Amino acid sequence: MTVLENEFLKVAIDLKGAQLSSFYNKQTGIEHLWQANPDIWPWHSPNLFPVVGGLINNQLLVEGQPYEMGRHGFARQSEFILLEADEVSASFSLPYCEKTLQVYPYKFDYQVLYMLIDNSLRVTHKVINLDKKTIYFSVGAHPAFNIPFFKDENYEDYYLEFETDEHLEANMLSADGFFTGETHPVATPGNKLHLTRHLFDADALVFKQLNSRMVSIKSKKHDQSVSVEFPHYNYLGVWAKPGADFVCIEPWLGCADTQDHHVNINKKEAIQTLHAGHVFEAPYFISL
């Protein structure tokens, strides 16, 4: 476990998945990150690579060749290497190996970089192309935040506040987690999405047309909040396991397959392209 700390925050990161496992507000004594109750949802903040979402038949197609891969890719289940760390920053690496080449035929170094900056944590997804050819991938974040913040509150006291005016359309998912091509409107009066216990009964709300690049978790009862800012991410997922005391705010550069539309990786929706020898970086921020 790697721990970073400044006067505002204390955070912890696991080597498995380079996963953020604690986001602790030192000023209020609040642990804001879901603590991975295995009976409900056994994750804190998984890092998604080299795919986001589900693949039809759990198969990634590369030049017509199928490769077995589960939902959200293999990074979250992998042991990372700690490259370097100090009091306020740490870098983790997942380089390609024979095992990854069997399911994802590209040579890469996928890194997750953490840095505390005052009352914010910057998390950067970094991909280095070590191959002699173009590689294709997606990255995404999946942090889960405890709700309510305080014991005397209810889940329904909370809402998500979007940065700018939104007329949101959620992209519908099938029972298998694939896009159906249908959308439905999501009410956001005053740029607020009010949280309820049944909001996610039909799975995640996935927004592909979003003006905002910041979403804040707020309460009707006090001014404590947590914000997620994602300047470089075009898609956003919002999800909670129905009835659980958390909400996930998920910036994505990639998404699940569309049903009946199994295509090669280079044709996948929102796929990222990285030429030989090039480096990709996309930070997002969690702030008090």
Side-chain angles (χ1 to χ4, degrees), residues 229-241:
E229 185 177 3
F230 43 96
H232 306 288
Y233 293 78
N234 296 328
Y235 287 14
L236 184 72
V238 180
W239 175 80
K241 189 166 184 178

Side-chain angles (χ1 to χ4, degrees), residues 193-227:
L193 175 59
H194 293 276
L195 297 178
T196 71
R197 291 296 187 183
H198 297 287
L199 184 60
F200 307 106
D201 283 354
D203 209 337
L205 302 178
V206 181
F207 305 116
K208 298 181 180 181
Q209 304 291 332
L210 195 66
N211 297 316
S212 299
R213 287 296 179 268
M214 185 168 69
V215 175
S216 300
I217 304 170
K218 295 187 174 183
S219 170
K220 303 170 189 174
K221 293 191 171 182
H222 55 74
D223 61 0
Q224 299 293 321
S225 66
V226 174
S227 297

Side-chain angles (χ1 to χ4, degrees), residues 68-133:
E68 295 296 320
M69 188 176 298
R71 181 183 300 272
H72 292 322
F74 52 73
R76 62 179 178 158
Q77 301 279 11
S78 301
E79 288 291 323
F80 279 64
I81 300 164
L82 177 61
L83 294 178
E84 58 183 355
D86 58 30
E87 290 183 354
V88 296
S89 66
S91 303
F92 300 84
S93 168
L94 178 65
Y96 81 93
C97 62
E98 289 303 316
K99 184 178 179 179
T100 66
L101 288 171
Q102 292 174 10
V103 296
Y104 178 67
Y106 297 113
K107 297 178 180 180
F108 64 89
D109 186 0
Y110 170 55
Q111 299 181 5
V112 186
L113 318 177
Y114 293 90
M115 178 175 284
L116 290 175
I117 306 170
D118 296 329
N119 64 340
S120 295
L121 175 66
R122 184 178 70 196
V123 186
T124 303
H125 292 274
K126 181 176 181 179
V127 182
I128 304 171
N129 185 348
L130 301 177
D131 220 316
K132 296 180 180 179
K133 59 188 176 184

